[in-house]
Amino acid sequence: MMSLTDESTDAYRRQKVYDSREGAAGGDGATAGGGCGCE
Amino acid sequence: VKTWSLLVWLPWVAVVALTGDVRADGSASSFSDAEILPSSGSELRLESVMMRLSGFEQNGTGYQSQAGPVLGPGSERLTVFEPQLEVIATQGDRLRHRLWLPLDVITEASPNSIARQRPDTVSGASRHLESGTIDWATTYKQSPVLSFLMHSGIHLENPFRSWNAGAGATRAFADQNTVVTAGVLGVLDWFDKFYIDGTRHGRTERSTTTGDVGVTQILTPSTVANVNYGLSAQEGELGNTWNSVPLSLGVRGPELLPTERVRHALVGRLAQFLPWNGAFRGYYRFYADDWGIVAHSLEGQLMQRLTPMLYIGGLYRFHTQTGPYFFTTLAPIEATLRTADSDLAPLQSNTIGGKIVGDVPVQGLVHILHFEVEYDRYFRSNDLTMNIATCAIGLRF
């Protein structure tokens, strides 16, 4: 509960929404590259 | 079919692991892990297994989509089914491995409408797309205060290949109260290039290089904070190549994007224990890039422990962004840069969500059975909504 971040697989699925639906991804340790059909 | 077989398989893994010490006479094992597994200092030892299944259902419209009127916004209907498997194992006292396998099964209205106009086997495949990633990270603990990380991965999907590799280091100071991290990551994407009518024009690529540095500090016995700065530089084809833009001539043309992009992000995080057995987690992110996008994201999570094994959580996130200087919903024919992608538009978005999380101690090979159920609702100011449901089972050995 006191972790600074979500559990890693939970963080990934949430961050994927933000990275693919908002034009402000990347730059903070997460990659702005990679890709999938939902981009 | 593969995904559904995984669904059947996941609960059986949990059952087998939970009953791992059952003997023929029905009595519980009296041997410890150390007695059963002799330690030579270099063998792999399973630490945890996490299995997560998520579903995304998106509805809305965007001017880049051809699934609608010629000059009007088209459908952005999208469904994604995403299983993930994460395995963490240690090797001796110094090495820790993380193997992570996310899969995606996607159906999408926009490429579907392109293929309907001019079907071809490659863009047809992207209407219903399966993709997967194999990602392996290894941490080497040089000393109690110094660790190094190596990371590599490959992403495969029907019209797309991607490779990534990175390295990082973590150094602790002041009796572990301060931790400094730094890392670099390179990504190469190689993918099919389409024209907006669905015809294929060979392959294209882009590269991304990211560097980041961060500091985590224990402020009080109940407060932890983190600040992180990251810089990404991208070069190559920076769009998906099938996005279209309505033109003033009354037809659609291809999206035209710069071939370079430099992105900055500054993130602050805070975790605070609350005296009524709760916790607050705060997050702020500032973002700016040389396309002219400036964004602010603010998020808060409140968690409340109900029993020693169970807690609930609620989440709210707000995001606002400006658009790039070449964003338009109706471009003049002479424009050399143009996009109508609704994801790049000036917008505000909101996320609300709630979750239930449990950690149940069990007897046997597995020590903790972890489970989560969560629902999020994402909605944007420019006509896009998403329902997201996720559940997870974790085994900690």
Side-chain angles (χ1 to χ4, degrees):
Chain A
M1 238 173 42
M2 268 298 287
S3 168
L4 274 168
T5 55
D6 289 320
E7 184 277 323
S8 56
T9 59
D10 195 29
Y12 169 76
R13 65 98 194 157
R14 179 174 289 137
Q15 196 59 44
K16 182 169 185 170
V17 172
Y18 304 145
D19 287 352
S20 60
R21 292 287 77 93
E22 295 166 356
D28 54 353
T31 175
C36 70
C38 60
E39 292 285 342
Chain B
V1 172
K2 293 174 196 166
T3 307
W4 284 109
S5 67
L6 189 66
L7 267 179
V8 173
W9 175 72
L10 294 184
W12 282 106
V13 172
V15 170
V16 169
L18 286 169
T19 57
D21 69 335
V22 172
R23 299 190 301 183
D25 62 4
S27 62
S29 169
S30 59
F31 296 105
S32 68
D33 290 350
E35 290 169 314
I36 297 167
L37 303 168
S39 174
S40 67
S42 61
E43 75 278 3
L44 279 172
R45 182 182 170 85
L46 203 55
E47 189 174 285
S48 67
V49 176
M50 176 68 82
M51 296 154 285
R52 178 176 295 277
L53 192 58
S54 305
F56 307 74
E57 184 200 29
Q58 173 182 290
N59 282 290
T61 57
Y63 282 86
Q64 82 282 7
S65 169
Q66 298 184 67
V70 173
L71 296 183
S75 172
E76 289 196 76
R77 181 165 174 78
L78 169 78
T79 56
V80 181
F81 192 60
E82 180 186 79
Q84 295 181 65
L85 174 67
E86 179 192 63
V87 178
I88 294 176
T90 55
Q91 188 176 10
D93 296 330
R94 294 179 182 270
L95 287 172
R96 186 169 186 264
H97 304 282
R98 175 182 184 254
L99 182 66
W100 175 54
L101 305 167
L103 303 173
D104 286 293
V105 181
I106 300 161
T107 63
E108 188 171 11
S110 181
N112 191 6
S113 72
I114 297 168
R116 194 172 58 237
Q117 291 167 19
R118 184 181 295 191
D120 72 43
T121 54
V122 179
S123 61
S126 66
R127 289 182 291 158
H128 185 126
L129 186 145
E130 296 87 21
S131 70
T133 298
I134 302 172
D135 189 284
W136 181 20
T138 298
T139 304
Y140 176 72
K141 190 174 177 181
Q142 168 82 17
S143 72
V145 296
L146 182 62
S147 299
F148 297 98
L149 172 74
M150 296 294 288
H151 169 270
S152 61
I154 181 168
H155 175 89
L156 303 172
E157 64 183 66
N158 312 49
F160 197 104
R161 303 283 184 273
S162 179
W163 299 266
N164 69 74
T170 299
R171 176 76 162 87
F173 300 91
D175 207 16
Q176 309 272 359
N177 285 330
T178 305
V179 177
V180 177
T181 59
V184 292
L185 178 68
V187 183
L188 177 65
D189 302 330
W190 188 53
F191 49 102
D192 288 358
K193 184 181 177 85
F194 297 99
Y195 194 66
I196 59 169
D197 62 0
T199 52
R200 184 172 170 274
H201 288 253
R203 287 191 166 259
T204 187
E205 74 284 324
R206 66 170 162 257
S207 65
T208 304
T209 305
T210 298
D212 71 286
V213 60
V215 180
T216 302
Q217 176 69 48
I218 298 175
L219 299 176
T220 74
S222 60
T223 311
V224 186
N226 165 263
V227 177
N228 196 91
Y229 168 74
L231 172 68
S232 287
Q234 291 185 283
E235 186 175 18
E237 172 56 68
L238 300 184
N240 64 13
T241 74
W242 68 73
N243 274 353
S244 66
V245 180
L247 302 179
S248 53
L249 288 177
V251 296
R252 284 181 174 265
E255 184 179 60
L256 302 174
L257 298 174
T259 56
E260 293 181 347
R261 191 176 184 184
V262 177
R263 317 169 104 170
H264 306 265
L266 183 66
V267 172
R269 298 180 177 89
L270 178 80
Q272 173 66 53
F273 177 76
L274 302 173
W276 48 87
N277 252 342
F280 170 77
R281 193 184 295 163
Y283 172 93
Y284 169 74
R285 180 173 185 266
F286 171 77
Y287 170 92
D289 67 27
D290 61 357
W291 285 10
I293 297 179
V294 176
H296 303 272
S297 307
L298 193 62
E299 180 179 309
Q301 287 191 54
L302 265 178
M303 284 154 281
Q304 178 61 53
R305 187 164 289 286
L306 301 179
T307 75
M309 292 185 290
L310 192 73
Y311 72 87
I312 57 173
L315 168 145
Y316 175 72
R317 175 184 183 268
F318 175 75
H319 170 85
T320 182
Q321 69 179 46
T322 61
Y325 61 88
F326 47 87
F327 178 81
T328 180
T329 56
L330 189 66
I333 187 69
E334 66 273 13
T336 55
L337 294 174
R338 63 196 186 205
T339 181
D341 188 346
S342 65
D343 303 333
L344 294 174
L347 59 86
Q348 289 83 47
S349 72
N350 299 269
T351 308
I352 56 172
K355 65 181 176 184
I356 302 172
V357 181
D359 287 295
V360 182
V362 291
Q363 297 283 325
L365 184 62
V366 175
H367 291 158
I368 300 284
L369 171 65
H370 173 89
F371 68 89
E372 291 181 33
V373 179
E374 183 169 355
Y375 169 78
D376 289 347
R377 169 83 171 170
Y378 176 83
F379 49 103
R380 241 172 41 182
S381 58
N382 60 343
D383 189 23
L384 188 121
T385 61
M386 198 179 290
N387 295 306
I388 305 146
T390 182
C391 61
I393 296 176
L395 309 173
R396 292 176 188 154
F397 298 90

